[in-house]
Amino acid sequence: MKDTDIVRIAGWVVRRGLAGVAEEDLLREFCEKCRAAGLELSRAMALIDTLHPVHEGRVFRWRDDESNDAAMVEYGRSDQGEGAITWQRSPFFHLLQTGEEELRRRIGFGDAADFPAVQEMKDAGHTDYLVFVHRFGDDNAIGEMDCVYSSWVTRHPEGFSDAGMIALRRLVPPLALAIKAGALARVAGTLVEVYLGRDAGKRVLSGRISRGVADRIDAVLWFSALRGYTKITDTASPDEVIPLLNDYADAVITAIQQAGGEVLKLIGDGTLAIFRAEDPAKASAKALKAEADMRKRVQALNERRRAEERAVTSVYLGLHIGEVFYGNVGSIDRLDFTVVGPAVNETSRIASMCRSVDRPVLVSTAFAEALPIAERAQLVSVGRFALRGVGQAQELFTVDPGLM
């Protein structure tokens, strides 16, 4: 590969990285350009850790022959089980432990295939195997994401030439930087979605981060909490409280999200969510569907927890519909993206009435009237009540016990 090719490909990598090209596409196009310039790569792989509640990171793969291998794979924990064994036997782990930045095995010319991955390449007829680790600065690590690993393989009869090694040493760092840029963008999206919710997260990433920036929207409001939570926390062992919250939060949040709702806030054992109500009938029907799904999930959860001899509870829920302010509230440098307004407070008051009337779900008159006729027929009145902090008494409804 000529020096002019290296400069050209390096510039291309920068442009593609700035354009936000998916990492698997970036790796594929990079390898194709290197091959066209005379560097006969046969396989390549890059991997980078991330910050995600489920996945530890992503692997990007390319090869010059036909394969059913996915171009991108998300991997789980590498510190336990089979994942830990595989990781500790890899050349990447070796570089991590030794502090070195490069490992090469000329497997077609007598070098030891001292790692399973290297042996696999040798068995497949490849002649040269090269691994890099490009580390970030100490202050630039995010969770476990502190470097980019990559491997490069050729089946050329002479292996990588001196010129080919020079080309890879010059070109892989800008490629690693482009992969890091893509990973950081994904981490930002993950963080705002996990902690703010999908819609609120998208709004924040689009630039709506100034205090006081809020929209007036119509929404179905959901506020739920766990029955007897205080008593449970007083009697359960401390190491049981968080697993209990996680179990029931998973049931509630999954039901809301699968029905099209947005979870905005977890407040101890409470959950605040909205269903956007451009079409009030559809939004209220979605919320009622989520309530039915949640109840089934909680029932299954309780059966499992009883079998494990662990504490069980139930969820009580208030539903309302109204206009709210949806946006940023807080100080100049500490904001919360949420909904505020009288309708939010009223929803909380409706939910708290569940304990007084001993019903698992209560909905407002406005919510009942917004429902399509078929769903409205599922409701029965529980009476008229004066809600604390609400100017007028109103009739509340619940789901017909015969349908629950």
Side-chain angles (χ1 to χ4, degrees):
M1 183 182 288
K2 299 177 182 177
D3 189 70
T4 54
D5 292 323
I6 295 174
V7 172
R8 174 177 55 81
I9 294 173
W12 171 87
V13 168
V14 171
R15 292 192 298 275
R16 297 296 278 169
L18 289 172
V21 175
E23 295 95 315
E24 59 267 33
D25 294 333
L26 187 64
L27 179 63
R28 173 179 52 78
E29 294 173 11
F30 174 84
C31 292
E32 290 171 351
K33 286 188 175 296
C34 286
R35 283 177 60 85
L39 180 58
E40 294 189 21
L41 295 170
S42 54
R43 294 195 190 181
M45 179 172 68
L47 65 98
I48 185 169
D49 285 346
T50 188
L51 197 59
H52 191 280
V54 177
H55 309 297
E56 186 175 289
R58 286 183 160 201
V59 177
F60 311 101
R61 302 183 293 196
W62 172 86
R63 54 192 295 170
D64 66 344
D65 54 1
E66 293 294 327
S67 171
N68 293 324
D69 292 345
M72 187 280 292
V73 175
E74 292 175 315
Y75 54 88
R77 303 305 307 173
S78 62
D79 57 358
Q80 54 193 15
E82 288 296 323
I85 295 172
T86 300
W87 170 243
Q88 291 168 11
R89 297 174 66 192
S90 73
F92 301 125
F93 182 78
H94 174 78
L95 290 181
L96 183 66
Q97 295 299 105
T98 61
E100 298 171 352
E101 296 183 350
E102 180 181 312
L103 178 146
R104 185 183 184 187
R105 294 291 185 266
R106 288 174 57 78
I107 48 181
F109 310 94
D111 281 5
D114 48 353
F115 300 93
V118 179
Q119 184 65 54
E120 180 185 348
M121 295 300 105
K122 182 177 182 178
D123 293 343
H126 301 279
T127 59
D128 214 341
Y129 184 95
L130 179 64
V131 174
F132 293 117
V133 55
H134 293 96
R135 294 179 172 87
F136 307 159
D138 292 339
D139 295 334
N140 286 301
I142 299 180
E144 297 297 320
M145 188 175 75
D146 58 0
C147 62
V148 177
Y149 299 99
S150 63
S151 65
W152 309 90
V153 187
T154 183
R155 61 169 62 88
H156 191 280
E158 298 179 5
F160 288 122
S161 66
D162 290 343
M165 292 293 294
I166 290 171
L168 286 171
R169 289 174 179 141
R170 289 177 59 182
L171 287 173
V172 175
L175 177 67
L177 185 60
I179 290 173
K180 177 186 178 182
L184 289 175
R186 188 171 294 104
V187 165
T190 297
L191 290 179
V192 295
E193 180 175 322
V194 168
Y195 286 97
L196 298 179
R198 290 173 294 190
D199 183 67
K202 289 178 182 178
R203 288 169 180 256
V204 168
L205 285 179
S206 72
R208 298 180 69 80
I209 61 171
S210 299
R211 184 169 63 157
V213 175
D215 297 322
R216 286 177 178 265
I217 65 168
D218 291 318
V220 168
L221 299 158
W222 167 301
F223 186 83
S224 62
L226 300 183
R227 190 178 296 275
Y229 175 69
T230 301
K231 182 179 180 180
I232 292 173
T233 55
D234 287 342
T235 57
S237 61
D239 59 353
E240 275 293 309
V241 174
I242 297 300
L244 179 140
L245 282 174
N246 286 339
D247 279 349
Y248 287 95
D250 185 62
V252 173
I253 293 170
T254 302
I256 292 169
Q257 291 182 337
Q258 289 195 355
E262 293 286 337
V263 176
L264 298 182
K265 192 180 296 295
L266 302 177
I267 313 162
D269 64 313
T271 302
L272 174 65
I274 63 170
F275 294 78
R276 295 289 296 271
E278 289 88 353
D279 185 328
K282 287 184 179 179
S284 53
K286 287 179 179 179
L288 209 58
K289 178 182 178 181
E291 186 277 332
D293 184 25
M294 176 194 71
R295 196 181 328 111
K296 292 177 182 177
R297 292 176 183 275
V298 169
Q299 182 179 358
L301 171 62
N302 284 342
E303 291 175 0
R304 174 174 66 79
R305 289 183 64 89
R306 285 192 187 97
E308 297 169 352
E309 298 183 346
R310 303 168 74 186
V312 299
T313 184
S314 59
V315 179
Y316 64 88
L317 166 65
L319 293 171
H320 184 38
I321 187 169
E323 184 182 72
V324 293
F325 288 99
Y326 182 40
N328 291 302
V329 178
S331 67
I332 294 174
D333 57 0
R334 179 60 178 89
L335 298 170
D336 188 15
F337 205 101
T338 188
V339 287
V340 296
V344 180
N345 299 329
E346 192 169 344
T347 307
S348 175
R349 302 291 184 247
I350 292 170
S352 66
M353 285 296 299
C354 289
R355 291 170 290 185
S356 300
V357 300
D358 194 26
R359 298 307 309 161
V361 55
L362 289 175
V363 308
S364 67
T365 299
F367 179 90
E369 291 176 347
L371 280 170
I373 295 175
E375 283 80 1
R376 196 182 312 165
Q378 301 176 25
L379 303 181
V380 293
S381 174
V382 296
R384 189 173 180 83
F385 298 90
L387 303 175
R388 184 164 59 89
V390 179
Q392 288 185 322
Q394 66 162 289
E395 188 174 13
L396 299 180
F397 298 81
T398 190
V399 177
D400 187 340
L403 301 175
M404 300 182 74

